[in-house]
């Protein structure tokens, strides 16, 4: 058994015992109450599942196994070619529950390199899509095609015992994560670079190799990729991509089915697709101002016009957060250091000053502050990646780290099939009013 799997193995039985005892001794403890309004408002605030990898606090933002993003960007091992934390490290933390050493992260980089073998039929699946198909459609379909290699599916068909489910799920999860940069970069090069593909460089870390296969080999872009793939990796269990992935996985669907489901949720404009929507919206604003960066007053008029058209301001608001997203701040810090004079960064800052009071004034928006998607796109544009309809795929590659850690743990502790109860309005009125 490889070292990471061995380490995980040692953590599993104590966790199973902990959960069994907790439920046995405290199973009737009430952990929340449900209001009628929550049934009609997307289950906001309802505690309904366990996710060990990370927890979102409305005011403190995301914590991964108890560590804030700021702390982790300091504490996680870095590449020897830069200052950014490596996403391999956050994966280790989410999976094992401890901070990794430099040796741990290089073990993961090597393991993913070793596992990054994408069968030909997956490329053929991608090739069969017309170029007009959104990159997320092609990404999700390619993940499904990859499913043919599922170790879990094979083990299940061979009658594996429940307590061993996690082992083949671990194999699938690691293989899937390893293959995603190849699949994503293949889609990118097919759509935008005349199908001129770039072979992996096996000496690089996961992010730098991904940047290299996309066709961006300069150090700054690789650093951006490390940051990007770290900060988008997980956002507890209730967001659409995590929840969709969890739900589908709970039926014992394998890692490929479960992750593809998550990606279909991420592809929605209120979730991960918001990163492309932000760029589209910003560029249209510039275009409408004759190619110039609009003034604060002009931004304000533009924002109000968007709202009057019955549209949302992309990149602002959140279902849980009630302050500026720390992932926004992490990207802002990167921009301040590396591209502070970039005109679109100046525009993003202007939008940040203008939008919150306008959203507050509507009297209905619960969180007027920017989320992760308000910032990510312009960083990529600055380094020459201008094909913004691809940006959600980058988000998806990163999200695999969280969703796959969650799935492995769900299998390890034997999480049951998810089956909440739905109501009818008639029943709500009859039984509760
Ligand atoms: N612009 C305009 N109106 C907004 C808004 C925004 N950015 N954010 C919320 N609202 C509106 C809602 O549409 C809702 O209006 P109605 O009552 O007329 O339906 C009202 O304010 C209350 O919404 P809320 O409770 O504050 O927000 P929700 O929890 O319902 O929704 C969303 C959270 C993120 C979906 C929402 O803020 C939004 O649509 N934001 C813009 C899209 C976006 O940036 N999405 C990415 C979110 C982060 C993420 O998942 N990244 O992947």
């Amino acid at each position: 058994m490889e070292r990471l799997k061995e380490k995980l193995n040692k953590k599993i039985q104590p966790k199973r015992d902990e959960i069994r005892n907790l439920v046995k001794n405290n199973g009737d403890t009430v952990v929340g109450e449900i209001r009628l309004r929550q049934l009609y408002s997307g289950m906001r605030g309802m505690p309904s599942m366990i996710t060990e990898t990370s927890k979102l606090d409305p005011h403190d933002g995301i914590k991964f196994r108890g560590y804030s993003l700021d702390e982790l960007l300091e504490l996680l091992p870095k590449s020897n070619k830069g200052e950014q934390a490596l996403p391999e490290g956050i994966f280790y933390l989410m999976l094992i529950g401890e901070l990794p050493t430099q040796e741990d992260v290089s073990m993961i980089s090597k393991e993913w390199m070793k596992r990054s073998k994408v069968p030909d039929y997956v490329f053929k699946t991608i090739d069969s899509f017309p170029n007009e198909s959104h990159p997320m459609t092609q990404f999700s379909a390619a993940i499904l095609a990859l499913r043919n290699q599922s170790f879990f599916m094979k083990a299940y068909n061979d009658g594996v015992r429940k307590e061993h489910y996690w082992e083949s799920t671990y194999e699938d999860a690691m293989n899937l994560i390893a293959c995603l940069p190849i699949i994503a970069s293949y889609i990118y090069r097919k759509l935008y670079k005349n199908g001129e593909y770039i072979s992996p460089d096996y000496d690089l870390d996961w992010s730098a190799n991904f940047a290299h296969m996309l066709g961006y080999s300069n150090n700054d872009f690789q650093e951006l990729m490390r940051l990007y793939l770290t900060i988008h990796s997980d956002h507890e269990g209730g967001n659409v991509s995590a929840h969709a992935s969890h739900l589908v996985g709970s039926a014992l669907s394998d890692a490929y089915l479960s992750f593809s489901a998550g990606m279909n949720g991420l592809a929605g404009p209120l979730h991960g697709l918001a990163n492309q929507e932000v760029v589209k919206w910003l560029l249209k604003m510039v275009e409408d101002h004759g190619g110039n960066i609009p003034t604060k007053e002009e931004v304000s008029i533009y924002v109000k016009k968007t709202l009057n058209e019955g549209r949302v301001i992309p990149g602002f608001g959140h279902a849980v957060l009630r302050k500026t997203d720390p992932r926004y701040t992490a990207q802002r810090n990167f921009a301040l250091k590396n591209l502070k004079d970039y005109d679109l960064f100046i525009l993003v800052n202007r939008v940040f000053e203008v939008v919150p009071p306008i959203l507050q004034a509507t009297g209905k928006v619960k969180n007027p502050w920017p989320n992760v998607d308000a910032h990510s796109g312009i960083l990529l544009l600055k380094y020459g990646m201008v094909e913004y309809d691809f940006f959600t795929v980058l988000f998806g590659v990163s999200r695999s780290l969280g969703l796959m850690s969650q799935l492995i743990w769900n299998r390890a502790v034997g999480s049951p099939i998810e089956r909440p109860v739905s109501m009818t309005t008639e029943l709500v009125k009859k039984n509760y009013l």
Side-chain angles (χ1 to χ4, degrees):
M1 205 185 264
E2 80 196 41
R3 199 157 65 82
L4 183 65
K5 197 170 182 182
E6 189 73 63
K7 212 152 185 186
L8 177 62
N9 191 19
K10 292 204 178 95
K11 301 270 173 190
I12 289 176
Q13 198 51 49
K15 193 74 194 173
R16 284 176 178 162
D17 294 341
E18 183 191 357
I19 294 172
R20 191 180 311 111
N21 290 333
L22 203 61
V23 176
K24 188 169 154 226
N25 300 329
N26 307 280
D28 290 324
T29 301
V30 175
V31 293
E33 52 180 26
I34 295 169
R35 307 285 163 117
L36 189 152
R37 137 177 3 102
Q38 292 174 289
L39 302 179
Y40 289 91
S41 63
M43 300 189 277
R44 290 295 180 289
M46 270 188 206
S48 56
M49 69 182 110
I50 299 291
T51 304
E52 308 284 9
T53 50
S54 66
K55 175 74 192 129
L56 189 56
D57 178 89
H59 300 286
D60 291 343
I62 186 72
K63 293 224 168 128
F64 298 83
R65 297 277 188 182
Y67 292 96
S68 72
L69 203 51
D70 271 358
E71 287 168 327
L72 285 180
L73 293 177
E74 283 297 316
L75 290 171
L76 289 176
K78 321 270 188 296
S79 128
N80 54 13
K81 296 196 189 95
E83 297 171 359
Q84 294 299 330
L86 289 164
E88 285 89 328
I90 206 155
F91 175 72
Y92 182 98
L93 174 69
M94 288 191 283
L95 190 66
I96 304 294
E98 294 165 11
L99 285 173
T101 62
Q102 199 75 41
E103 198 194 338
D104 292 324
V105 296
S106 60
M107 163 189 71
I108 294 178
S109 300
K110 289 198 189 101
E111 195 55 44
W112 286 344
M113 278 294 179
K114 205 171 78 192
R115 290 169 179 264
S116 60
K117 296 190 184 86
V118 178
D120 239 19
Y121 58 80
V122 174
F123 298 125
K124 289 198 180 112
T125 304
I126 299 169
D127 288 343
S128 71
F129 277 87
N131 278 6
E132 309 80 71
S133 282
H134 193 276
M136 280 302 279
T137 313
Q138 304 193 37
F139 188 54
S140 178
I143 292 158
L144 284 181
L146 199 59
R147 178 184 182 222
N148 230 22
Q149 330 196 84
S150 170
F151 281 88
F152 176 79
M153 188 168 60
K154 182 171 183 319
Y156 191 81
N157 288 339
D158 290 347
V160 66
R161 291 179 63 86
K162 282 181 177 181
E163 59 271 28
H164 295 299
Y165 285 171
W166 74 270
E167 294 170 24
S168 48
T169 299
Y170 172 90
E171 297 302 326
D172 284 354
M174 291 291 277
N175 289 341
L176 176 57
I177 295 170
C179 289
L180 289 177
I182 297 190
I183 290 174
S185 51
Y186 188 88
I187 294 170
Y188 182 73
R189 304 287 306 177
K190 176 201 148 195
L191 291 180
Y192 315 114
K193 305 290 169 187
N194 303 316
E196 289 159 15
Y197 304 108
I198 301 171
S199 306
D201 180 340
Y202 292 107
D203 290 329
L204 297 174
D205 56 83
W206 191 62
S207 319
N209 181 44
F210 185 24
H212 158 77
M213 289 189 294
L214 288 165
Y216 300 86
S217 286
N218 74 67
N219 196 47
D220 287 351
F221 190 87
Q222 293 183 352
E223 280 285 85
L224 175 61
M225 258 314 97
R226 293 180 186 116
L227 175 69
Y228 192 103
L229 297 175
T230 298
I231 65 175
H232 288 82
S233 61
D234 207 39
H235 224 220
E236 72 163 42
N239 66 78
V240 171
S241 52
H243 193 189
S245 181
H246 174 85
L247 172 66
V248 171
S250 81
L252 286 189
S253 305
D254 58 56
Y256 302 92
L257 291 169
S258 156
F259 185 64
S260 171
M263 291 305 93
N264 298 339
L266 194 73
L270 295 188
H271 190 20
L273 201 79
N275 62 8
Q276 89 164 35
E277 295 302 296
V278 167
V279 172
K280 221 186 321 184
W281 183 74
L282 291 174
L283 294 182
K284 182 80 175 69
M285 197 189 314
V286 173
E287 187 191 318
D288 286 0
H289 290 88
N292 300 313
I293 298 299
T295 62
K296 260 178 87 169
E297 291 66 32
E298 288 167 333
V299 171
S300 173
I301 293 166
Y302 197 85
V303 169
K304 287 176 187 159
K305 178 171 165 283
T306 303
L307 291 176
N308 287 336
E309 287 166 351
R311 297 158 60 202
V312 295
I313 307 301
F316 283 77
H318 202 275
V320 179
L321 280 168
R322 293 294 176 259
K323 61 163 243 182
T324 296
D325 191 331
R327 300 171 299 175
Y328 176 95
T329 311
Q331 296 179 97
R332 178 178 153 75
N333 292 341
F334 182 92
L336 281 171
K337 191 153 174 234
N338 296 293
L339 43 106
K340 70 175 186 332
D341 299 327
Y342 178 40
D343 51 1
L344 286 176
F345 177 53
I346 293 167
L347 178 57
V348 163
N349 288 330
R350 222 160 260 175
V351 168
F352 180 36
E353 283 178 61
V354 168
V355 169
I358 297 178
L359 289 183
Q360 257 156 351
T362 66
K364 64 173 184 180
V365 179
K366 295 192 191 64
N367 178 41
W369 304 108
N371 60 56
V372 64
D373 300 313
H375 213 307
S376 56
I378 64 116
L379 300 179
L380 295 159
L381 291 182
K382 169 68 184 166
Y383 292 109
M385 185 178 263
V386 295
E387 304 86 358
Y388 54 76
D389 56 351
F390 183 74
F391 291 175
T392 312
V393 174
L394 298 177
F395 193 154
V397 171
S398 171
R399 201 32 78 92
S400 68
L401 305 181
L403 301 194
M404 290 300 97
S405 310
Q406 292 182 18
L407 186 72
I408 295 168
W409 269 107
N410 288 338
R411 289 286 178 274
V413 299
S415 303
I417 187 162
E418 192 173 277
R419 182 47 170 103
V421 166
S422 66
M423 309 283 285
T424 64
T425 299
E426 208 44 49
L427 272 180
V428 168
K429 288 198 287 192
K430 189 166 150 225
N431 294 348
Y432 299 99
L433 299 187

